[in-house]
Amino acid sequence: MYIDELEQFAEQFLIEHYQITLSIPVERNNRLKSTHGRFIIKNNRPQKIELAGHLLKYGAAHFIYGVLKHECIHYALYIQGKDYVDGNPVFEAELKKHNAPRTRTLKIGNFIVFTCNHCGNQIETRRKRVAKHPEEYRTACCGAMLTVVGETAYNGTE
């Protein structure tokens, strides 16, 4: 998916639902690992919307647009002087109204799968270092050593 298409979508979404234009860029950020997107403000001025590389690489189109809507809602509420922070009732109501995903509800990208050597629980993480150096890690469930099983990719539909 191309950034210019995403910017076009964001512009259309904001005009249609909030009667405002997009005055900041939408950019890809391959360094984002624990989040799919973010709205950045610097010195009390909107700077940009960033979408994670793993989202654009692995995410189904529906979920990419959903994350972009989420970030556009942050932007729109900020511009309107309303509370734009995750968890705030006004923000959460807007997410629901526009069928945009809530924070930390989508699983997208490559994950390392490992098993707890004590209880057998299967756990997933995005941290590639776990696969390279499993002896340095312990499971959260039992504090036991782990065995790497493999990798799996999610596109948000799971």
Side-chain angles (χ1 to χ4, degrees), residues 34-38 50-52 54-55 67 106-108 126:
S34 63
T35 185
H36 302 311
R38 64 182 180 176
E50 292 183 333
L51 298 176
H54 68 264
L55 171 70
V67 171
L106 298 177
K107 196 174 196 178
I108 299 172
R126 262 201 204 113

Side-chain angles (χ1 to χ4, degrees), residues 43-58:
N43 299 326
N44 292 323
R45 299 188 75 189
Q47 297 296 305
K48 59 187 165 183
I49 289 173
E50 292 183 333
L51 298 176
H54 68 264
L55 171 70
L56 299 175
K57 183 176 181 179
Y58 297 103

Side-chain angles (χ1 to χ4, degrees), residues 23-131:
S23 63
I24 59 174
V26 174
E27 298 177 356
R28 178 186 184 120
N29 184 340
N30 291 329
R31 294 181 320 268
L32 294 180
K33 302 296 179 200
S34 63
T35 185
H36 302 311
R38 64 182 180 176
F39 164 55
I40 297 177
I41 302 166
K42 196 175 192 179
N43 299 326
N44 292 323
R45 299 188 75 189
Q47 297 296 305
K48 59 187 165 183
I49 289 173
E50 292 183 333
L51 298 176
H54 68 264
L55 171 70
L56 299 175
K57 183 176 181 179
Y58 297 103
H62 172 75
F63 294 106
I64 294 170
Y65 287 118
V67 171
L68 182 54
K69 282 196 288 187
H70 178 111
E71 301 310 325
C72 284
I73 293 168
H74 279 299
Y75 173 77
L77 294 180
Y78 179 84
I79 294 297
Q80 293 176 343
K82 297 179 181 174
D83 200 333
Y84 62 94
V85 179
D86 285 302
N88 178 276
V90 171
F91 179 75
E92 297 296 326
E94 288 297 304
L95 291 179
K96 191 172 186 176
K97 176 179 168 184
H98 298 292
N99 197 26
R102 297 182 68 215
T103 299
R104 306 212 187 283
T105 58
L106 298 177
K107 196 174 196 178
I108 299 172
N110 260 0
F111 286 77
I112 307 297
V113 181
F114 58 94
T115 304
C116 174
N117 290 351
H118 179 67
C119 69
N121 276 347
Q122 207 167 60
I123 306 149
E124 297 173 334
T125 183
R126 262 201 204 113
R127 297 169 143 186
K128 294 195 184 305
R129 183 166 166 72
V130 175

